């Protein structure tokens, strides 16, 4: 994550929530009284977003002190105190909801990722996210995936080639698609191809791609594909991966399993802030 | 929703995804060939985000035609075609994921909202969202709640007063809290107070508030509170509302039930775009 | 006011005035010499904008010290020193005009507001602003109205419903207009209706609105309206209110008097900055 | 004026007023019905801001038709129709207040300027504005001054040198001040010096400045100064110019009279929009 | 290139050049007269920037017609007409300098790139740019390199790993550096290591990197390195590459030669616009 | 230069280079270790951009210390240390390339300017830049010209009138062109006219312009023109000025020589940063 970008998002979020002013707090609370707020997790989870939460409070009031009692990525249990904030009560009250909104979502993603990762921890395989992220918050969500023990897939359409079904249909063949793109992209960029059959795997291998995405293949075909690839490309399983079937998929020997659900099903973790 | 704001968010989302360019499509697809893409829903749901999806494609390429086959808010079933896009294949491919990311999330929220609303359809009660929304996308999510048959709570800290626990603790009493704020806010603004006990309800009533939030009260207390209020304020149930308990809550006679889960648990609907 | 927004406006104002550089100061003054500047009011007035002026200097040079000798909202007389700034002479010279431009306008609005408020100080009535504010500076102007002892009306089209003549004409009747909107807006939002006759007042009351705006009514009709309303809605007088007639209007018993002139006739207060 | 900048200001103004949506119009008016709105002036004035008003409506809804019945700069009388807008009723209602806010202020400035200019129309003298403009709206206000027959002074601190009292005090002498700056600024840039005495005029002339500002001088001194200058620099009268004294000032023979009141006392013109 | 980003840069450039208005054109030219302007190249070159130039004029005035007589990437000779613009004379005059500033610089880069590429056209080698680009205009400059027949290196610090001298020094060894990064980056991302000796090449190969940058190596060492690598990684020559020595470098058999001079020495091509 | 604007450009440049994160440094370097980096010039040059480089590092990490060993504008020789930075190694590595990109380009411009200025140091003449600057970086480049001993021409189309060939052609005559513009522009603004012949010089003089640009004239004509002008306007030579011919041009007695090549041929100076 790039702090300059993160702060821009936070400022927009503050504008969204506070707008022309927090009319409850501004009209009720006198400045001067400082309080401590303690942030507590209410269910077992992997914490993610503490640094973001800190930046939220600092952006609202640079005088606020934020103490990390746990670190991003830590596994915590119900009742664990993960951070405390100390400052003007009005600053704490204004930042509370927004800080929690980031924390709860990011921790939700990290926690879910951890569950997927744990299921396949005995296999030599990576669990990655996809581009199915919340628009404008991809960076936050990919960070949460990392904190949960997962890995990131490409950041966007600009940093790796992924030739999909619709591209191939439009160009004609896998070979022709790869040839067109290979001559133009930077030599620092990898090429991934999405295939749906063993035929596709062969064609991709013949064209010397870096990564082969096995899209919605049966477990048997996946296993055959992995053998066929034999280490000459990275194999990536994709499509309809669930907590239930991920171990079966890992058993096929694929190198990477990409899981859309990590970010398009978001179950926020229950986290609260109590002012003392 | 305000189109100027919506377009700003969409432009940021395009920047996030496309960055310096879609290196797969830009290096592979020749301009000139136009195709149709059909957007299909793969599970029963309430559609939300079609207008946003249209704006995504238009922002990428103003020549793209977008036809609505269903309208935002429609209940659709598996396999229903909800829209078609027609234009340069490269424009369709670039906008596909982003348009779907909006559609899937917004439809997920609308569909979930509908479930809550349906559970209490025989009661004279509103189901509303909260401020537990995805940072910077509140407007999109509140729109989705509306499309699912729910209602919106206040938009942010600026458009209604909500005196919470922490405010009252800081000021001393409910009465004093209300008095401070009432003299300063616009006469066009309502005051809501969060209470946790029947005592609190009485104090709020004595101070003539507009809305009383019954926070995490037992069903029995809620029922007593509603009777006590007797139409002299709007009663709002809040805290730990689930699909399982919402009907019980509605039976207490409250006017409004606010449900954080509508937006902090996001289950994207499966929606796909197929290029013909 | 929300500091993040205020600073954004200030930065734009600095860009507008300084552009590519203050070619007089930058080419003439050597850095290093620090001076004190004293800000003095040259006519009896209510000061408004000191916090904004401070932010102007801080934004130009974070090292500048700004001391408040009076507070925003204070009544001051000719010759009163209201603040001093201390820092690099070039920073003082660059910020001077812009700080004064804010101070003079905001104090002009606060001072005028105070005059209106003073005229009706023996009545139980509020004097409020309207949406007739300077585009992009509404927040600053509404703040100045508050500092002058007035109250704010709604902030914009988004935080309260105000059904006007043109709306009613378009829909048909007051009743139908209210019914359409009531079912859709948040329960945290008030409804105001603009009426021009006693008939209108009755229709509004029948439909249980929160606020009734008596638009350009005769004093007699206003008085009748107030009696008719009898505390069942907030009554607001509007249209052609002047310093001369405001007391007569207050005598009718209305709860609120909204005065466009507070912000659409701006008489800047004469305020100067002298470098010692 | 530069359209790109003007549109940016307009978009900010729309965001300020409409925010998350016009909850009255959006929840009440069905799309599809088109109406005409007529903009009428309610007092004798010089119209300014029609082009800005047109851009306001176009920015809200590019389909709106805007017809100019008068042009910016025209002298109009009570009751004159100056423009009509035609389009979706919701677009007209949303843009109405903002378009009028610009029109009323800009026409107020143009009308006031015209009064000053008319007083001195028999003299060979320019009436100009100053930097005492509304922060972030200088361009709009300077345009209004031009439309009222006045001229613009420098746009900001970046496009002309103006050596003031505080600069001279800091450097030592007028001569030294000018020498420092002359060697560094572009040869395309003029130098103006503010003087308060005949001595100052002489020193300025000795140093070959382009413009001499006679600041708050007596009429007698001004006359002497003009003679002394004898066409070797532009003479500019400044300070405490009013409608009452401007003709006396013009009689001294100065080339330019700069009038802060043109923009720091803003008397909006009464202009209305009626939907038919 | 991503049009949304390109237009943002163009708007900033227009603001920079036109600011509050083109005071020459706006005060002199009457609207209504349309003219044709022809853009002519005055020296042999590779054209780059025509699409950008078109967007410049369209952004200033969407009615301007822009006809491409040559395409971006075409080799042209002195006197060749490359484009014509037709529209309001004021729009042509306002956009002229800015359009040419983009065209001249981009064509300068494309032309220089072509010279380097031509020198090694008989070798199986790519010529690429580096990160030594003009701040905020990298995308434009990398596009120009492509149009000149060169290839792009990574876009920034975010889309490929490049482990340099300073990284290795900080971590300890090449092996440790690679190990740390490999486990964390996406599987879609390549790793490049900068080495200065044959020892470094071996260490990089042992750690299975994708690209080995041979930094400022002697031709002999480069040749040895290429043999050692033997197709197991991409070899990239870097450092002090000139038109004079590039062929010698190509002879060593490296796959890629990266040339900082393509973008940090900018020789604008002489291109003019004549209004007929 | 205006720091607010400079920082905006720097932030955009950081976003361009770092994007979603420096994946090499972020995944490899542990926080905590602080290092010193020394910036050294590798060829004789005039340093420009040190203040910008400092702001680059501060923007990335406000804790970084930046020490100026030389000042902007100093003449330095190969091997001179010009600045040191001290801070987190990751901050130094992230800012290195961008800081150097600014320094190298600005120093390149300053150094080249110095060469032109030195050639005419025995003549009473200014060397200035033009509007042929890199889009969006004009301010940085004009600053570099100043630091190299040159002067700036107008900043853009907004701060001085320059009537060119195409303007005159469109209006008819020089006289008519000047007349139109003179009545409308501020009295603080100069008028320059571009002429190509002695006839043009006479017409310009008759119309009392401030500056006459002698465009691509022969040395003989220039000399005649200078005599004809006789101090009644500033004379400016322009067009095809090179290091070779600038002294000959200066001998004609012109006041100003404007040189496009200062900024449209950019030869970056070799400057490096070494981490100790």
């Amino acid at each position: 994550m790039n702090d300059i970008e993160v702060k821009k998002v936070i400022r927009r979020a503050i504008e969204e929530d506070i707008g022309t002013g927090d009319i409850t707090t501004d009209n009720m609370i006198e400045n001067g009284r400082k309080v401590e707020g303690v942030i507590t997790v209410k269910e077992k989870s992997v914490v993610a977003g503490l640094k973001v939460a800190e930046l939220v409070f600092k952006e609202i009031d640079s005088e606020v002190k934020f103490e990390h009692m746990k670190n991003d990525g830590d596994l915590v249990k119900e009742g664990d105190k993960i951070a405390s904030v100390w400052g003007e009560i009005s600053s704490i009250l204004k930042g509370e909801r927004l800080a929690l909104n980031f924390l709860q979502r990011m921790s939700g993603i990290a926690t879910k990722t951890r569950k997927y990762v744990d299921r396949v921890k005995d296999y030599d395989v990576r669990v990655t996210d996809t581009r199915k992220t919340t628009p404008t918050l991809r960076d936050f969500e990919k960070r949460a995936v990392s904190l949960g023990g997962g890995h990131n897939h490409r950041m966007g359409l600009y940093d790796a080639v992924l030739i999909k079904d619709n591209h191939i249909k439009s160009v004609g063949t896998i070979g022709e698609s790869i040839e067109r793109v290979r001559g133009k992209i930077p030599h620092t960029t990898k090429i991934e191809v999405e295939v749906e059959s063993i035929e596709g795997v062969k064609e991709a291998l013949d064209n010397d791609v870096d990564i082969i995405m096995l899209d919605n293949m049966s477990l048997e075909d996946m296993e055959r594909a992995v053998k066929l690839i034999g280490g000459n490309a990275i194999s990536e399983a994709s499509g309809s991966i669930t907590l239930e079937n991920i171990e079966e998929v890992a058993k096929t020997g694929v190198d990477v399993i990409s899981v859309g659900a990590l970010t398009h099903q978001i179950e926020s973790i229950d986290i609260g802030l109590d002012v003392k």
Side-chain angles (χ1 to χ4, degrees), chain A:
Chain A
M1 294 180 102
N2 173 349
D3 269 12
I4 290 184
E5 298 294 334
V6 168
K7 284 180 192 165
K8 278 168 70 172
V9 173
I10 288 173
R11 273 194 292 270
R12 282 178 204 137
I14 293 173
E15 290 174 21
E16 175 186 77
D17 196 30
I18 302 190
T20 48
D22 175 351
I23 55 176
T24 308
T25 303
D26 290 345
N27 289 312
M28 193 187 296
I29 308 290
E30 282 146 23
N31 283 331
R33 203 155 75 75
K34 305 215 169 176
V35 297
E36 192 191 6
V38 174
I39 302 180
T40 309
V41 171
K42 302 187 179 165
E43 51 184 312
K44 189 182 164 197
S45 52
V46 176
V47 179
L50 281 171
K51 280 194 188 160
V52 174
E54 177 174 5
L55 287 171
V56 167
F57 285 109
K58 296 275 192 202
E59 202 62 48
I60 285 172
D61 177 354
S62 60
E63 308 282 299
V64 167
K65 308 293 177 209
F66 190 98
E67 192 194 342
H68 294 252
M69 291 156 153
K70 296 285 178 180
N71 291 312
D72 278 330
D74 283 359
L75 184 63
V76 296
K77 59 180 195 301
E78 190 188 332
D80 277 359
K81 292 171 183 169
I82 56 174
S84 73
V85 278
W86 189 86
E88 287 275 346
I89 184 164
S90 65
S91 304
I92 307 295
L93 293 175
K94 284 178 193 179
E96 172 185 357
R97 183 73 262 140
L98 180 53
L100 292 177
N101 280 349
F102 276 115
L103 262 175
Q104 293 175 327
R105 275 164 177 71
M106 288 181 71
S107 297
I109 293 171
T111 303
K112 172 177 285 188
T113 301
R114 181 74 168 250
K115 285 180 191 154
Y116 279 83
V117 170
D118 281 352
R119 287 285 168 99
V120 297
K121 65 173 187 296
D122 298 333
Y123 302 83
D124 185 18
V125 68
R126 284 183 169 203
V127 175
T128 76
D129 49 37
T130 64
R131 279 172 55 238
K132 296 183 180 176
T133 54
T134 307
T136 77
L137 297 173
R138 182 171 290 167
D139 217 19
F140 294 74
E141 296 188 347
K142 290 207 164 226
R143 178 71 182 143
V145 166
S146 297
L147 290 167
H151 281 80
N152 297 146
H153 208 290
R154 61 174 178 165
M155 292 305 295
L157 296 170
Y158 54 87
D159 65 329
V161 169
L162 176 40
I163 302 173
K164 298 194 158 194
D165 197 31
N166 282 329
H167 294 102
I168 299 167
K169 240 195 280 179
S170 166
V171 171
T173 64
I174 290 182
E176 169 71 5
S177 299
I178 293 170
E179 195 173 322
R180 282 198 194 171
V181 91
R182 199 199 302 279
K184 295 184 192 152
I185 56 167
H187 63 286
T188 54
T189 305
K190 286 190 181 175
I191 299 178
E192 176 164 9
V193 177
E194 179 186 289
V195 301
E196 285 159 2
S197 66
I198 294 299
E199 275 319 290
V201 174
K202 287 177 185 164
E203 207 176 337
L205 281 173
D206 286 350
N207 285 284
D208 203 20
V209 300
D210 298 290
I211 311 163
I212 300 177
M213 179 188 283
L214 311 171
D215 187 45
N216 278 304
M217 274 193 187
S218 68
L219 291 170
E220 297 71 39
D221 275 358
M222 252 189 241
E223 212 169 331
R224 286 178 59 201
V226 170
K227 278 189 190 127
L228 208 56
I229 293 170
N232 291 309
I234 296 170
S235 57
E236 174 183 336
S238 180
S240 311
I241 309 295
T242 63
L243 258 189
E244 284 62 45
N245 68 17
I246 191 167
E247 187 173 357
E248 291 306 309
V249 172
K251 280 183 184 161
T252 66
V254 292
D255 302 307
V256 176
I257 305 174
S258 54
V259 184
L262 297 188
T263 56
H264 78 281
Q265 308 287 12
I266 294 181
E267 289 152 40
S268 296
I269 296 297
D270 196 0
I271 302 177
L273 183 153
D274 292 295
V275 173
K276 289 193 172 172

